[in-house]
Amino acid sequence: MAATRSYLDFEKPVAELEAKLEELKALGQRDGAVSISEEVGRLEAKAAQALAEIYATLSPWQKTQVARHPQRPHFVDYCAGLIEEFTPLAGDRSFGEDEAIIGGFGRFRGRPVLVLGQEKGATTEARLRHNFGMARPEGYRKAVRLMETADRFGLPVLAFVDTAGAFPGIEAEERGQAEAIARSTQACLALGVPNVAVVIGEGGSGGAIAIATANTVLMLEHAIYSVISPEGAASILWRDQGRAHEAATAMKITAQDLLRLGIIDGVIPEATGGAHRDRQAALSATSDALSRALAEFDGLSRDEIRDRRAQKFLEIGRKL
C-alpha cells in the first residue's frame, strides 16, 4: 500500500519519511544486507508521530481534501463490509436507472434493512459510470421508491452520503431535479421507521440532504457537510476560487463544528491519517455507531419515530 499511496500536499513531510522507510525495507531484504531493523523502527515511529501531529491540527480546508481523498472508502466498500445478503434494486419506474445512487435490501448485523448510498467510483471507468456520485432526478426518485417500500415492510433505512451535490446538468433540470430532491427529502421525513445517515466523505448541498434527512445524522471525523462547496462559496463571495480555504473555515463544514452547532448527532472516529489508511477501522467504527443509533429507536411507535425526526430538524438553529 505504501508504494501506491496517494499523499495530499500537507502530508509532504510524512511522504518523505515513508519513502525513506520503503527504501530501507527494500535494502534490508537484499541477500547479505546488514540488519537495519533498529533504523526501520526509528523511522516508523518518526513517520507515525509526524502524521499524528499533522492530523491533530487539520484546518477545515485540509479536512475537505481528506474527505475527497481518492483512496478514501466509498459506499461500495461500506456496503460490502457491513451489509450481508445485499440485493441491489434499480430504476425509478419512470425514466431509468441512475448509478450515482445505489440502493437495495440486505442485513445489518442480522437485521433486515434498506441501504442507500451515493457512489463516486474509485477508477476512471467507475467514476464515469456513477457520474462522480452526482445523482440525476431518477436517482432520487429511485431512493423514494425504495424508502417507501422499506416503510411498508417496517425496515430501517441506512443512508451513506458522499456527493459533491446533485448533478447540475441541463437534462437533470429538464427532468425536475429540484422537485425530485424535495420529494426525496419529504419521503425521509415521512418514514415511520428509523433512518440513520452517515456522511462518509462529502455531504454536498441538496444532493446530500435528499437522503440525509434522518432521525440520526452521523459524520466520519474528517468528512464535510455543507450547503455549497468551499470553491463555490468563494466564487460567489469573492469571485475567486483561490480563497476556498477561507470559505471552508467560515462555513463551519467540519464534523466537529456541525456537532457543536447541533446539525449532526455524532462523530465517528477515523484512524490517524484518515479512513483511507485503515479501512477496516473505519468500517468497524461505523458499524458500531450505526448499531447504537438504531438501538435508540427500538420499541418506539411509528408516530414517535416520525415526531422525533421532525422535532430534531425543527430545533436546528434554536440553541445557538
Side-chain angles (χ1 to χ4, degrees):
M1 283 295 295
T4 60
R5 180 173 290 139
S6 176
Y7 293 93
L8 300 169
D9 290 342
F10 61 84
E11 294 178 318
K12 186 177 179 181
V14 178
E16 293 173 350
L17 286 171
E18 291 187 341
K20 292 178 181 177
L21 185 59
E22 289 304 309
E23 290 177 6
L24 272 179
K25 287 181 178 179
L27 184 63
Q29 291 174 355
R30 295 178 184 174
D31 293 337
V34 177
S35 176
I36 53 174
S37 57
E38 184 177 337
E39 180 65 16
V40 167
R42 187 185 66 81
L43 262 182
E44 285 178 336
K46 189 173 181 180
Q49 181 181 357
L51 188 67
E53 289 174 353
I54 288 172
Y55 272 78
T57 58
L58 290 182
S59 69
W61 177 241
Q62 289 171 332
K63 282 183 175 286
T64 300
Q65 294 175 279
V66 177
R68 296 171 175 172
H69 197 286
Q71 294 172 332
R72 191 173 179 85
H74 292 163
F75 167 67
V76 293
D77 301 305
Y78 286 92
C79 188
L82 304 183
I83 307 300
E84 300 172 345
E85 302 176 30
F86 178 66
T87 303
L89 298 178
D92 66 346
R93 301 297 187 265
S94 178
F95 180 83
E97 164 66 346
D98 183 358
E99 293 190 64
I101 292 182
I102 300 173
F105 295 92
R107 294 182 183 275
F108 171 69
R109 295 192 173 185
R111 182 175 186 174
V113 294
L114 166 67
V115 186
L116 292 170
Q118 289 148 335
E119 174 57 37
K120 286 184 173 181
T123 65
T124 300
E125 180 184 358
R127 292 185 185 109
L128 292 173
R129 184 171 71 253
H130 295 291
N131 199 34
F132 300 87
M134 297 186 293
R136 297 176 172 85
E138 48 271 24
Y140 296 111
R141 291 178 179 133
K142 174 175 68 175
V144 170
R145 179 173 75 85
L146 297 183
M147 284 191 284
E148 290 177 345
T149 302
D151 195 36
R152 194 174 304 123
F153 290 97
L155 304 180
V157 177
L158 305 181
F160 293 81
V161 178
D162 190 14
T163 182
F167 183 62
I170 293 175
E171 67 271 26
E173 296 297 332
E174 290 175 339
R175 295 199 293 274
Q177 182 72 292
E179 185 268 350
I181 290 173
R183 293 287 184 186
S184 186
T185 305
Q186 181 185 43
C188 288
L189 288 169
L191 289 173
V193 295
N195 58 337
V196 181
V198 183
V199 183
I200 58 176
E202 284 188 275
S205 191
I209 293 172
I211 65 171
T213 310
N215 284 104
T216 303
V217 181
L218 307 171
M219 287 180 67
L220 263 71
E221 182 180 356
H222 301 308
I224 60 170
Y225 193 21
S226 64
V227 70
I228 190 173
S229 69
E231 296 92 335
S235 294
I236 293 171
L237 294 173
W238 301 297
R239 300 182 185 278
D240 181 7
Q241 284 195 9
R243 298 178 68 177
H245 63 285
E246 295 179 53
T249 300
M251 290 195 300
K252 309 300 182 187
I253 63 177
T254 69
Q256 295 73 23
D257 283 331
L258 294 171
L259 181 64
R260 179 174 53 83
L261 294 170
I263 307 298
I264 65 169
D265 304 291
V267 177
I268 300 172
E270 299 183 30
T272 302
H276 55 282
R277 280 187 172 256
D278 192 338
R279 291 179 172 227
Q280 191 52 50
L283 293 178
S284 179
T286 302
S287 178
D288 291 341
L290 286 172
S291 182
R292 288 193 298 270
L294 288 176
E296 292 180 5
F297 300 94
D298 289 343
L300 296 183
S301 69
R302 293 175 62 84
D303 286 340
E304 287 173 324
I305 290 172
R306 196 179 290 114
D307 289 345
R308 279 197 181 190
R309 185 187 304 115
Q311 192 60 34
K312 164 187 164 59
F313 286 96
L314 288 172
E315 287 180 356
I316 290 177
R318 291 180 177 176
K319 298 179 181 179
L320 300 180

